[in-house]
mmCIF file of all heavy atoms in Angstrom:
data_model
loop_
_atom_site.group_PDB
_atom_site.id
_atom_site.type_symbol
_atom_site.label_atom_id
_atom_site.label_comp_id
_atom_site.label_asym_id
_atom_site.label_seq_id
_atom_site.Cartn_x
_atom_site.Cartn_y
_atom_site.Cartn_z
ATOM 1 N N VAL A 1 4.221 -26.579 30.767
ATOM 2 C CA VAL A 1 5.284 -25.628 30.431
ATOM 3 C C VAL A 1 5.958 -26.063 29.140
ATOM 4 O O VAL A 1 6.320 -27.224 28.978
ATOM 5 C CB VAL A 1 6.330 -25.529 31.553
ATOM 6 C CG1 VAL A 1 7.450 -24.567 31.162
ATOM 7 C CG2 VAL A 1 5.679 -25.082 32.852
ATOM 8 N N ASP A 2 6.122 -25.140 28.228
ATOM 9 C CA ASP A 2 6.829 -25.420 26.978
ATOM 10 C C ASP A 2 8.319 -25.189 27.228
ATOM 11 O O ASP A 2 8.876 -24.148 26.903
ATOM 12 C CB ASP A 2 6.306 -24.495 25.871
ATOM 13 C CG ASP A 2 6.822 -24.889 24.495
ATOM 14 O OD1 ASP A 2 7.824 -25.623 24.428
ATOM 15 O OD2 ASP A 2 6.229 -24.446 23.496
ATOM 16 N N TYR A 3 8.957 -26.191 27.850
ATOM 17 C CA TYR A 3 10.360 -26.039 28.222
ATOM 18 C C TYR A 3 11.257 -25.878 27.002
ATOM 19 O O TYR A 3 12.292 -25.200 27.070
ATOM 20 C CB TYR A 3 10.810 -27.229 29.063
ATOM 21 C CG TYR A 3 10.321 -27.198 30.483
ATOM 22 C CD1 TYR A 3 9.346 -28.081 30.929
ATOM 23 C CD2 TYR A 3 10.835 -26.280 31.391
ATOM 24 C CE1 TYR A 3 8.889 -28.056 32.238
ATOM 25 C CE2 TYR A 3 10.393 -26.243 32.695
ATOM 26 C CZ TYR A 3 9.418 -27.134 33.116
ATOM 27 O OH TYR A 3 8.965 -27.094 34.419
ATOM 28 N N ASP A 4 10.891 -26.489 25.887
ATOM 29 C CA ASP A 4 11.677 -26.308 24.671
ATOM 30 C C ASP A 4 11.680 -24.839 24.250
ATOM 31 O O ASP A 4 12.726 -24.295 23.857
ATOM 32 C CB ASP A 4 11.114 -27.174 23.546
ATOM 33 C CG ASP A 4 11.373 -28.653 23.763
ATOM 34 O OD1 ASP A 4 10.716 -29.241 24.647
ATOM 35 O OD2 ASP A 4 12.223 -29.229 23.061
ATOM 36 N N GLU A 5 10.526 -24.199 24.343
ATOM 37 C CA GLU A 5 10.440 -22.791 23.965
ATOM 38 C C GLU A 5 11.164 -21.903 24.972
ATOM 39 O O GLU A 5 11.818 -20.920 24.595
ATOM 40 C CB GLU A 5 8.975 -22.372 23.841
ATOM 41 C CG GLU A 5 8.760 -20.923 23.427
ATOM 42 C CD GLU A 5 9.261 -20.590 22.027
ATOM 43 O OE1 GLU A 5 9.575 -21.527 21.259
ATOM 44 O OE2 GLU A 5 9.341 -19.391 21.698
ATOM 45 N N VAL A 6 11.060 -22.235 26.256
ATOM 46 C CA VAL A 6 11.787 -21.483 27.280
ATOM 47 C C VAL A 6 13.291 -21.549 26.997
ATOM 48 O O VAL A 6 13.994 -20.533 27.030
ATOM 49 C CB VAL A 6 11.486 -22.029 28.685
ATOM 50 C CG1 VAL A 6 12.370 -21.339 29.736
ATOM 51 C CG2 VAL A 6 10.019 -21.829 29.047
ATOM 52 N N ALA A 7 13.781 -22.743 26.697
ATOM 53 C CA ALA A 7 15.210 -22.906 26.410
ATOM 54 C C ALA A 7 15.593 -22.180 25.131
ATOM 55 O O ALA A 7 16.640 -21.525 25.062
ATOM 56 C CB ALA A 7 15.550 -24.390 26.311
ATOM 57 N N ARG A 8 14.765 -22.300 24.093
ATOM 58 C CA ARG A 8 15.066 -21.643 22.811
ATOM 59 C C ARG A 8 15.176 -20.138 22.993
ATOM 60 O O ARG A 8 16.111 -19.502 22.488
ATOM 61 C CB ARG A 8 13.995 -21.968 21.778
ATOM 62 C CG ARG A 8 14.316 -21.444 20.377
ATOM 63 C CD ARG A 8 13.120 -21.544 19.462
ATOM 64 N NE ARG A 8 12.077 -20.600 19.831
ATOM 65 C CZ ARG A 8 12.095 -19.297 19.513
ATOM 66 N NH1 ARG A 8 13.127 -18.790 18.844
ATOM 67 N NH2 ARG A 8 11.113 -18.508 19.881
ATOM 68 N N ARG A 9 14.228 -19.560 23.709
ATOM 69 C CA ARG A 9 14.257 -18.115 23.931
ATOM 70 C C ARG A 9 15.452 -17.711 24.786
ATOM 71 O O ARG A 9 16.028 -16.631 24.596
ATOM 72 C CB ARG A 9 12.958 -17.668 24.609
ATOM 73 C CG ARG A 9 11.728 -17.806 23.738
ATOM 74 C CD ARG A 9 10.516 -17.202 24.426
ATOM 75 N NE ARG A 9 9.313 -17.325 23.617
ATOM 76 C CZ ARG A 9 8.178 -16.678 23.861
ATOM 77 N NH1 ARG A 9 8.095 -15.864 24.904
ATOM 78 N NH2 ARG A 9 7.133 -16.837 23.071
ATOM 79 N N SER A 10 15.827 -18.545 25.743
ATOM 80 C CA SER A 10 16.931 -18.217 26.639
ATOM 81 C C SER A 10 18.280 -18.291 25.932
ATOM 82 O O SER A 10 19.167 -17.467 26.167
ATOM 83 C CB SER A 10 16.930 -19.169 27.843
ATOM 84 O OG SER A 10 15.737 -19.052 28.591
ATOM 85 N N VAL A 11 18.436 -19.280 25.058
ATOM 86 C CA VAL A 11 19.712 -19.447 24.350
ATOM 87 C C VAL A 11 19.847 -18.455 23.200
ATOM 88 O O VAL A 11 20.943 -18.003 22.882
ATOM 89 C CB VAL A 11 19.843 -20.895 23.835
ATOM 90 C CG1 VAL A 11 21.035 -21.044 22.903
ATOM 91 C CG2 VAL A 11 19.963 -21.857 25.019
ATOM 92 N N GLY A 12 18.725 -18.104 22.561
ATOM 93 C CA GLY A 12 18.769 -17.138 21.473
ATOM 94 C C GLY A 12 19.218 -17.741 20.153
ATOM 95 O O GLY A 12 18.950 -18.908 19.859
ATOM 96 N N LYS A 13 19.950 -16.981 19.359
ATOM 97 C CA LYS A 13 20.265 -17.392 17.989
ATOM 98 C C LYS A 13 21.164 -18.624 17.925
ATOM 99 O O LYS A 13 21.191 -19.319 16.904
ATOM 100 C CB LYS A 13 20.919 -16.240 17.226
ATOM 101 C CG LYS A 13 22.240 -15.764 17.809
ATOM 102 C CD LYS A 13 22.767 -14.558 17.047
ATOM 103 C CE LYS A 13 24.095 -14.065 17.608
ATOM 104 N NZ LYS A 13 24.614 -12.885 16.866
ATOM 105 N N ARG A 14 21.885 -18.916 19.009
ATOM 106 C CA ARG A 14 22.747 -20.101 19.012
ATOM 107 C C ARG A 14 21.933 -21.395 19.038
ATOM 108 O O ARG A 14 22.471 -22.463 18.752
ATOM 109 C CB ARG A 14 23.687 -20.061 20.219
ATOM 110 C CG ARG A 14 24.750 -18.970 20.142
ATOM 111 C CD ARG A 14 25.609 -18.960 21.391
ATOM 112 N NE ARG A 14 26.640 -17.952 21.325
ATOM 113 C CZ ARG A 14 27.864 -18.147 20.859
ATOM 114 N NH1 ARG A 14 28.194 -19.360 20.420
ATOM 115 N NH2 ARG A 14 28.751 -17.176 20.833
ATOM 116 N N TRP A 15 20.651 -21.312 19.395
ATOM 117 C CA TRP A 15 19.809 -22.504 19.496
ATOM 118 C C TRP A 15 19.756 -23.266 18.170
ATOM 119 O O TRP A 15 19.798 -24.499 18.150
ATOM 120 C CB TRP A 15 18.406 -22.091 19.922
ATOM 121 C CG TRP A 15 17.456 -23.228 20.168
ATOM 122 C CD1 TRP A 15 16.428 -23.638 19.352
ATOM 123 C CD2 TRP A 15 17.424 -24.102 21.295
ATOM 124 N NE1 TRP A 15 15.759 -24.699 19.910
ATOM 125 C CE2 TRP A 15 16.360 -25.002 21.104
ATOM 126 C CE3 TRP A 15 18.196 -24.207 22.451
ATOM 127 C CZ2 TRP A 15 16.045 -25.999 22.021
ATOM 128 C CZ3 TRP A 15 17.895 -25.189 23.367
ATOM 129 C CH2 TRP A 15 16.826 -26.077 23.148
ATOM 130 N N ALA A 16 19.681 -22.546 17.071
ATOM 131 C CA ALA A 16 19.547 -23.177 15.758
ATOM 132 C C ALA A 16 20.777 -24.002 15.399
ATOM 133 O O ALA A 16 20.688 -24.915 14.562
ATOM 134 C CB ALA A 16 19.300 -22.114 14.682
ATOM 135 N N ARG A 17 21.916 -23.730 16.020
ATOM 136 C CA ARG A 17 23.149 -24.443 15.679
ATOM 137 C C ARG A 17 23.397 -25.651 16.581
ATOM 138 O O ARG A 17 24.371 -26.380 16.372
ATOM 139 C CB ARG A 17 24.343 -23.474 15.764
ATOM 140 C CG ARG A 17 24.222 -22.279 14.806
ATOM 141 C CD ARG A 17 25.556 -21.625 14.576
ATOM 142 N NE ARG A 17 26.056 -20.920 15.747
ATOM 143 C CZ ARG A 17 25.821 -19.633 15.996
ATOM 144 N NH1 ARG A 17 25.077 -18.921 15.157
ATOM 145 N NH2 ARG A 17 26.313 -19.053 17.063
ATOM 146 N N LEU A 18 22.535 -25.868 17.556
ATOM 147 C CA LEU A 18 22.710 -27.008 18.458
ATOM 148 C C LEU A 18 22.110 -28.273 17.859
ATOM 149 O O LEU A 18 21.089 -28.221 17.173
ATOM 150 C CB LEU A 18 22.047 -26.724 19.812
ATOM 151 C CG LEU A 18 22.565 -25.532 20.623
ATOM 152 C CD1 LEU A 18 21.836 -25.455 21.959
ATOM 153 C CD2 LEU A 18 24.068 -25.620 20.839
ATOM 154 N N SER A 19 22.728 -29.405 18.128
ATOM 155 C CA SER A 19 22.176 -30.686 17.687
ATOM 156 C C SER A 19 20.944 -31.026 18.530
ATOM 157 O O SER A 19 20.703 -30.433 19.582
ATOM 158 C CB SER A 19 23.222 -31.785 17.842
ATOM 159 O OG SER A 19 23.467 -32.032 19.230
ATOM 160 N N ALA A 20 20.177 -32.004 18.067
ATOM 161 C CA ALA A 20 18.986 -32.417 18.809
ATOM 162 C C ALA A 20 19.357 -32.911 20.201
ATOM 163 O O ALA A 20 18.665 -32.616 21.195
ATOM 164 C CB ALA A 20 18.241 -33.505 18.034
ATOM 165 N N GLY A 21 20.464 -33.642 20.298
ATOM 166 C CA GLY A 21 20.901 -34.136 21.600
ATOM 167 C C GLY A 21 21.322 -33.026 22.534
ATOM 168 O O GLY A 21 21.012 -33.060 23.735
ATOM 169 N N ASP A 22 22.032 -32.033 22.008
ATOM 170 C CA ASP A 22 22.449 -30.898 22.827
ATOM 171 C C ASP A 22 21.243 -30.081 23.282
ATOM 172 O O ASP A 22 21.188 -29.612 24.424
ATOM 173 C CB ASP A 22 23.419 -30.010 22.051
ATOM 174 C CG ASP A 22 24.822 -30.608 21.972
ATOM 175 O OD1 ASP A 22 25.109 -31.534 22.756
ATOM 176 O OD2 ASP A 22 25.613 -30.142 21.131
ATOM 177 N N ARG A 23 20.276 -29.910 22.398
ATOM 178 C CA ARG A 23 19.067 -29.184 22.778
ATOM 179 C C ARG A 23 18.361 -29.883 23.929
ATOM 180 O O ARG A 23 17.918 -29.248 24.890
ATOM 181 C CB ARG A 23 18.123 -29.057 21.584
ATOM 182 C CG ARG A 23 18.594 -28.113 20.502
ATOM 183 C CD ARG A 23 17.568 -28.022 19.376
ATOM 184 N NE ARG A 23 18.029 -27.158 18.305
ATOM 185 C CZ ARG A 23 17.314 -26.870 17.224
ATOM 186 N NH1 ARG A 23 16.109 -27.403 17.077
ATOM 187 N NH2 ARG A 23 17.806 -26.069 16.296
ATOM 188 N N ARG A 24 18.246 -31.213 23.832
ATOM 189 C CA ARG A 24 17.571 -31.963 24.878
ATOM 190 C C ARG A 24 18.305 -31.842 26.205
ATOM 191 O O ARG A 24 17.677 -31.705 27.270
ATOM 192 C CB ARG A 24 17.454 -33.440 24.462
ATOM 193 C CG ARG A 24 16.730 -34.342 25.445
ATOM 194 C CD ARG A 24 15.408 -33.794 25.908
ATOM 195 N NE ARG A 24 14.607 -33.274 24.809
ATOM 196 C CZ ARG A 24 13.568 -32.483 24.968
ATOM 197 N NH1 ARG A 24 13.213 -32.085 26.185
ATOM 198 N NH2 ARG A 24 12.879 -32.050 23.933
ATOM 199 N N ALA A 25 19.646 -31.863 26.171
ATOM 200 C CA ALA A 25 20.425 -31.731 27.400
ATOM 201 C C ALA A 25 20.197 -30.372 28.052
ATOM 202 O O ALA A 25 20.062 -30.273 29.278
ATOM 203 C CB ALA A 25 21.916 -31.929 27.094
ATOM 204 N N VAL A 26 20.142 -29.316 27.238
ATOM 205 C CA VAL A 26 19.907 -27.976 27.772
ATOM 206 C C VAL A 26 18.497 -27.872 28.348
ATOM 207 O O VAL A 26 18.289 -27.320 29.439
ATOM 208 C CB VAL A 26 20.121 -26.909 26.674
ATOM 209 C CG1 VAL A 26 19.700 -25.528 27.174
ATOM 210 C CG2 VAL A 26 21.585 -26.891 26.238
ATOM 211 N N VAL A 27 17.518 -28.399 27.627
ATOM 212 C CA VAL A 27 16.127 -28.342 28.085
ATOM 213 C C VAL A 27 15.981 -29.039 29.429
ATOM 214 O O VAL A 27 15.370 -28.504 30.366
ATOM 215 C CB VAL A 27 15.179 -28.967 27.046
ATOM 216 C CG1 VAL A 27 13.777 -29.160 27.640
ATOM 217 C CG2 VAL A 27 15.096 -28.093 25.799
ATOM 218 N N GLU A 28 16.532 -30.227 29.562
ATOM 219 C CA GLU A 28 16.382 -30.992 30.804
ATOM 220 C C GLU A 28 17.089 -30.307 31.965
ATOM 221 O O GLU A 28 16.575 -30.280 33.089
ATOM 222 C CB GLU A 28 16.909 -32.413 30.615
ATOM 223 C CG GLU A 28 16.051 -33.260 29.689
ATOM 224 C CD GLU A 28 14.613 -33.370 30.169
ATOM 225 O OE1 GLU A 28 14.388 -33.459 31.396
ATOM 226 O OE2 GLU A 28 13.698 -33.354 29.321
ATOM 227 N N ALA A 29 18.275 -29.752 31.724
ATOM 228 C CA ALA A 29 19.006 -29.070 32.798
ATOM 229 C C ALA A 29 18.281 -27.800 33.234
ATOM 230 O O ALA A 29 18.196 -27.495 34.438
ATOM 231 C CB ALA A 29 20.427 -28.747 32.337
ATOM 232 N N LEU A 30 17.748 -27.058 32.267
ATOM 233 C CA LEU A 30 17.030 -25.836 32.603
ATOM 234 C C LEU A 30 15.727 -26.157 33.324
ATOM 235 O O LEU A 30 15.348 -25.482 34.292
ATOM 236 C CB LEU A 30 16.758 -25.029 31.342
ATOM 237 C CG LEU A 30 16.104 -23.654 31.533
ATOM 238 C CD1 LEU A 30 16.945 -22.775 32.443
ATOM 239 C CD2 LEU A 30 15.881 -22.970 30.181
ATOM 240 N N ARG A 31 15.042 -27.187 32.872
ATOM 241 C CA ARG A 31 13.807 -27.609 33.537
ATOM 242 C C ARG A 31 14.073 -27.974 34.996
ATOM 243 O O ARG A 31 13.342 -27.551 35.905
ATOM 244 C CB ARG A 31 13.199 -28.796 32.802
ATOM 245 C CG ARG A 31 12.050 -29.452 33.569
ATOM 246 C CD ARG A 31 11.568 -30.715 32.893
ATOM 247 N NE ARG A 31 10.684 -31.484 33.766
ATOM 248 C CZ ARG A 31 10.135 -32.646 33.464
ATOM 249 N NH1 ARG A 31 10.387 -33.184 32.281
ATOM 250 N NH2 ARG A 31 9.358 -33.267 34.321
ATOM 251 N N ALA A 32 15.131 -28.759 35.237
ATOM 252 C CA ALA A 32 15.447 -29.170 36.609
ATOM 253 C C ALA A 32 15.738 -27.960 37.493
ATOM 254 O O ALA A 32 15.311 -27.906 38.655
ATOM 255 C CB ALA A 32 16.646 -30.123 36.604
ATOM 256 N N LEU A 33 16.436 -26.969 36.954
ATOM 257 C CA LEU A 33 16.745 -25.767 37.728
ATOM 258 C C LEU A 33 15.485 -24.979 38.046
ATOM 259 O O LEU A 33 15.268 -24.555 39.191
ATOM 260 C CB LEU A 33 17.741 -24.898 36.958
ATOM 261 C CG LEU A 33 18.023 -23.511 37.556
ATOM 262 C CD1 LEU A 33 18.561 -23.620 38.972
ATOM 263 C CD2 LEU A 33 18.980 -22.727 36.664
ATOM 264 N N LEU A 34 14.635 -24.764 37.047
ATOM 265 C CA LEU A 34 13.422 -23.987 37.269
ATOM 266 C C LEU A 34 12.498 -24.676 38.270
ATOM 267 O O LEU A 34 11.882 -24.017 39.115
ATOM 268 C CB LEU A 34 12.701 -23.752 35.939
ATOM 269 C CG LEU A 34 13.427 -22.837 34.948
ATOM 270 C CD1 LEU A 34 12.660 -22.772 33.632
ATOM 271 C CD2 LEU A 34 13.603 -21.441 35.527
ATOM 272 N N GLU A 35 12.393 -25.985 38.190
ATOM 273 C CA GLU A 35 11.562 -26.701 39.147
ATOM 274 C C GLU A 35 12.132 -26.586 40.557
ATOM 275 O O GLU A 35 11.401 -26.428 41.529
ATOM 276 C CB GLU A 35 11.421 -28.163 38.737
ATOM 277 C CG GLU A 35 10.565 -28.354 37.489
ATOM 278 C CD GLU A 35 10.432 -29.817 37.083
ATOM 279 O OE1 GLU A 35 11.144 -30.667 37.675
ATOM 280 O OE2 GLU A 35 9.623 -30.103 36.188
#
């Protein structure tokens, strides 16, 4: 699963303004929920 892409598509245009650390936190939280 491309969780980074799932998160990017879910967050939308705000994704580009997130730091690398914030992106990782969102990806991991979303992954845990989907699993």
